[in-house]
Amino acid sequence: MTKQHVIIDCDPGIDDALALIYALKHPNLEVVAITIVCGNVPSQLGFENCALILELVNRLDIPIYIGAETPLKRPFISAQDTHGMDGLGETFLKQNCNKRPEIKKAYDYLADYFKQKQDTAILSLGPLTNIALALEKNKNLGENCSRFISMGGNFKSNGNCSPVAEYNYWCDPHAANFVFKHLKRCVEMVGLDVTRKIVLSPNHLEYLKKFPSELTAFIEKITRFYFDFHWKYEHLLGCVINDPLALAYLIDPNICHGFNSYTDIVTDGIALGQSIVDAQHFYQKDSNSKILTEVDTLRFWQDFLTTILDQPKEVISQDILQLNLGGFYEN
C-alpha cells in the first residue's frame, strides 16, 4: 500500500503528543516534517516536546521546524492551564538526544515546499498562524497540497475556551479567518462536534497496562493531568483527545462524515474565534470547508490502539467490544 505523505503543524500539547505517536507509528503514513506553532505551549517548548516524542518512538530522522512565536495580531495566550506548564501534564520529562530544530522558519519551509504541486497533505493540529504566514508568502500553497485538515472550530458544539469558540481558532482568529478566506482549497474542519466523542477513559489506561512498555507508561504519565482538568471543568471521567481524531481522519476519510459549507471566523468581540458555519447557505457564497459532524468512534479506537500498541487488529477489535472501549461522550 502506498503511504500517504503529510506535514504535521502542531503545538505539542498532550493530545498533540498522542497524535504524533499515532502518526509516527502508523504503517500507512510518511511524516515528511513537523512544524511547530505557538498554541498550547510557546513554540520553543513545543519543539522540545516534539523532539522528546521523536526520541521516544525512534524517529529522530524527521526534521522539526519552529515557526510563529505569537499570533498574527492578538496577544499570545497559551493553554498551559489545560496541558500543564511543560505541555506534557507537568511530567517535566527531558529528551536525551539534544536534537536541534532546522534553521529555516516553519512558515518559510511550508511556503517553499509547496511552490510546486506535492502529493503531501497538511495536517494542522494547532492555531493556523504558520499556515497563514506561509500562505501570505505563497498564495498557491492550498492548491499545491493534496489535502488540508484543520483540528479546530465547532459547529453546534459549545466551545472549550469560551461559550462559542474552540481554542485553536480563538488563540489566533485572524490567522484562521485568513486561511479560510484565501487557501483556495477546502478546509476539512475536524471540530469539537466530533472530537468531543473521542474520550480516553480510565478503562483505556487500564487496557494499555496489558501491554507494558516505555510508550504506554509515557501515555499514562502525560494524561493524568489532562484527566484532572477534564474532571474539574467538565465533570468528565476521562479526557477528550482532539488531535488523534484529525490524524485518523487523514488516514481514513470514512471515519468521519459531514457537509460542505461556507465558514467564516470571528476576529473580535464577544464571539472571538467562533467558527460561523453557513449551513443554510444564507451568505450565498461558495463553500470553503467541510464541516464534520459524525464520527465512527469504534473505528477510531480500533486503528488508534492497533497502531500504538503494535497489536493485530483482530485482537484489539475483540477486546474493544468485550471491554466497552468504543463508547463516546456528548455534552
Side-chain angles (χ1 to χ4, degrees), residues 8 15 25 93 142 150 166 170 177 187 200 240 263 280 294:
I8 300 176
D15 58 333
K25 289 179 64 65
L93 301 168
S150 168
E166 179 277 328
W170 175 87
N177 180 281
V187 176
L200 184 75
V240 177
T263 299
Q280 303 302 320
E294 300 175 29

Side-chain angles (χ1 to χ4, degrees), residues 2-45:
T2 304
K3 290 188 176 185
Q4 295 185 65
H5 288 71
V6 62
I7 295 172
I8 300 176
D9 188 66
C10 58
D11 56 342
I14 294 168
D15 58 333
D16 299 76
L18 296 175
L20 287 171
I21 291 168
Y22 184 20
L24 295 166
K25 289 179 64 65
H26 204 285
N28 297 340
L29 276 188
E30 184 66 43
V31 179
V32 175
I34 299 169
T35 55
I36 305 296
V37 66
C38 62
N40 290 328
V41 294
S43 51
Q44 178 61 38
L45 182 52

